[in-house]
Amino acid sequence: MAVFLTILEWTILSISIIYFVLILWFLMGWLKLGKQPPLVRRKHFSTQVTIVLPVRNESAQIGNCIQQLLAQDYPKHLYEIIVVNDHSEDNTLAQAKTYANTLLKVLDLKEEQGKKAALNHGITQAKGALIVTTDADCVMDENWLSHLVGYYEQYRPKLITMPVLYKENNTLFGQIQSLEFLSLIGISLAAVENKTAMLCNGANLAFEKEAFMAVGGYANNNNIASGDDVFLLHKMKKQFPNEIKALRHKEVAVYTHPQPTLKSFMEQRVRWGGKAKHYRDGFTIITSAIVLTFNLCLFIGLLFYPFYLKIGMALLVSFSLKCIIDFLFLFLVASYYGKSRLLSLFLVEELLYTFYVILVALKGLLTTNRWKGRIIG
């Protein structure tokens, strides 16, 4: 037992240093993103764009999202909106059809089901050379589309990943989620800038239709509950390693709400975590393993602390290193997006995160996933 505890002590210290270097790597990527020039409003555009909006049971919010998309200041003759209904059990389809016009088309899945199937159906019907995806619970500024297409026409990347932010929320639970989500968005954008893309969010993603077809779209991932965005990113990274870009600019952010309940939050995060067992991208696997191992070591160390007080120093040093580098990274990201006040919850979030990430990882790896009334994967 003494040998085991000594090994555990040194393992905790070693993995904490590795974790510190990893987050420092992302921090450097975020700082490099800050050197991007400001987005310039173009007066003339030439790119035909299709916005694909997959929906399922979104009657409470689809109208607001569609109105935001219809109000974009991008030339109307150069973009279309395709709403794809994924077997909704409420009146989502009927609501979407009330907005149908020459700019907006509504499609209804008949046999296939799932978000990937809905996206794929919309993309195959798209006229646009550039595909933009978002979710029905998102809203955006009226110049969102013109800004991102302006960037695309200047640099012509195969894929552009952009920020998704939570709207202001006055509940403690909502604010903790917002802080945690900022870290995910910051890391996903910084990793792209470092040429080690690993995460993105389909609620705010743009890619060339031709490139989507070239990598096989969502093929081989249709049975996985989530990950339409991440698995596509990994395919693009493999085939077009230098043609993926991240935009951190506030002008291209979309906004959504944090989860209203702990149950819905855990279901969402378990669904996200469950796809990790299907990753094939080396850097993503290594990063996930480092984060999980570090938090697992901290948890095990806490369990053995009453029986081996000496391990307390290793735990203190490791947790301190974690807090220092996490705070520095989150401070930069939160400050940029005007959410610095959330940092008052930093220690609460850090203490909860160790237990939460282990629980989510285990449930994601060992259980089935639930999404809008379906059990998937």
Side-chain angles (χ1 to χ4, degrees):
M1 177 62 73
V3 174
F4 167 77
L5 291 173
T6 301
I7 292 174
L8 177 61
E9 181 181 2
W10 284 104
T11 300
I12 291 172
L13 289 170
S14 300
I15 195 68
S16 67
I17 294 171
I18 295 172
Y19 177 87
F20 186 94
V21 172
L22 177 67
I23 304 303
L24 181 61
W25 169 251
F26 292 131
L27 188 151
M28 291 168 64
W30 181 262
L31 291 176
K32 286 193 290 183
L33 279 171
K35 297 178 182 178
Q36 288 182 340
L39 296 175
V40 178
R41 293 292 301 276
R42 297 170 70 94
K43 295 181 179 179
H44 303 287
F45 296 90
S46 60
T47 303
Q48 186 73 41
V49 180
T50 298
I51 301 172
V52 180
L53 179 65
V55 295
R56 174 172 167 78
N57 299 340
E58 301 284 5
S59 60
Q61 46 212 0
I62 187 173
N64 192 28
C65 180
I66 288 177
Q67 290 173 36
Q68 298 275 324
L69 296 176
L70 291 171
Q72 292 299 302
D73 65 359
Y74 192 70
K76 296 296 186 279
H77 68 283
L78 285 179
Y79 87 100
E80 64 176 349
I81 304 163
I82 297 181
V83 178
V84 188
N85 177 54
D86 176 19
H87 305 275
S88 293
E89 297 163 334
D90 57 12
N91 66 339
T92 295
L93 179 59
Q95 285 194 48
K97 285 183 175 179
T98 64
Y99 293 95
N101 54 30
T102 56
L103 190 61
L104 186 143
K105 182 191 303 183
V106 180
L107 305 178
D108 192 24
L109 285 181
K110 298 301 183 182
E111 297 180 2
E112 293 182 298
Q113 67 176 27
K115 187 176 182 181
K116 295 184 187 72
L119 284 165
N120 192 66
H121 190 53
I123 292 167
T124 56
Q125 299 292 317
K127 298 177 182 176
L130 184 67
I131 306 296
V132 180
T133 64
T134 189
D135 290 338
D137 58 355
C138 293
V139 295
M140 59 288 294
D141 293 336
E142 65 177 12
N143 53 17
W144 164 71
L145 188 58
S146 59
H147 273 307
L148 77 89
V149 179
Y151 178 85
Y152 169 75
E153 291 192 347
Q154 185 174 359
Y155 297 101
R156 299 288 173 176
K158 300 297 183 184
L159 181 145
I160 307 171
T161 178
M162 295 163 288
V164 179
L165 305 174
Y166 283 153
K167 292 181 178 179
E168 291 298 319
N169 188 287
N170 293 324
T171 68
L172 178 62
F173 183 48
Q175 290 175 357
I176 292 174
Q177 287 184 70
S178 296
L179 186 61
E180 185 251 358
F181 198 59
L182 275 176
S183 68
L184 291 177
I185 293 300
I187 284 172
S188 67
L189 297 173
V192 171
E193 184 65 19
N194 282 337
K195 308 298 182 186
T196 52
M198 51 181 285
L199 299 172
C200 63
N201 195 313
N204 200 9
L205 194 65
F207 48 87
E208 291 181 347
K209 181 177 179 179
E210 184 177 336
F212 175 85
M213 297 300 183
V215 300
Y218 304 118
N220 303 321
N221 304 126
N222 289 327
N223 63 325
I224 303 171
S226 184
D228 50 276
D229 41 20
V230 173
F231 291 116
L232 178 62
L233 175 72
H234 291 172
K235 287 183 175 183
M236 293 277 195
K237 174 185 174 181
K238 185 176 181 179
Q239 190 153 337
F240 309 107
N242 298 314
E243 299 181 75
I244 300 172
K245 298 295 182 183
L247 282 179
R248 78 169 192 175
H249 298 72
K250 289 172 277 192
E251 296 93 329
V252 294
V254 303
Y255 298 84
T256 186
H257 294 282
Q259 293 298 310
T261 66
L262 180 60
K263 181 175 183 293
S264 63
F265 170 79
M266 289 301 296
E267 285 182 353
Q268 181 192 62
R269 293 307 198 267
V270 168
R271 190 171 69 251
W272 290 357
K275 64 194 174 207
K277 58 192 172 188
H278 302 283
Y279 287 158
R280 297 295 179 268
D281 178 72
F283 184 78
T284 306
I285 293 171
I286 291 170
T287 299
S288 301
I290 290 171
V291 173
L292 179 58
T293 302
F294 181 36
N295 285 282
L296 193 58
C297 284
L298 287 178
F299 178 70
I300 295 173
L302 284 172
L303 291 180
F304 280 96
Y305 174 66
F307 313 102
Y308 185 65
L309 297 180
K310 186 181 175 183
I311 206 171
M313 182 57 67
L315 289 172
L316 179 62
V317 170
S318 298
F319 188 69
S320 297
L321 284 174
K322 182 179 188 301
C323 286
I324 289 169
I325 196 63
D326 285 354
F327 184 83
L328 286 173
F329 183 76
L330 271 173
F331 174 79
L332 293 173
V333 178
S335 297
Y336 178 75
Y337 290 119
K339 296 181 179 291
S340 298
R341 67 183 186 86
L342 295 175
L343 292 170
S344 62
L345 297 170
F346 173 75
L347 280 179
V348 175
E349 192 266 343
E350 286 285 283
L351 290 169
L352 293 175
Y353 187 80
T354 294
F355 304 99
Y356 142 76
V357 75
I358 296 171
L359 179 61
V360 166
L362 291 176
K363 286 181 67 66
L365 291 171
L366 301 176
T367 66
T368 56
N369 299 286
R370 184 174 296 275
W371 183 73
K372 296 188 178 180
R374 291 178 179 154
I375 296 177
I376 312 173

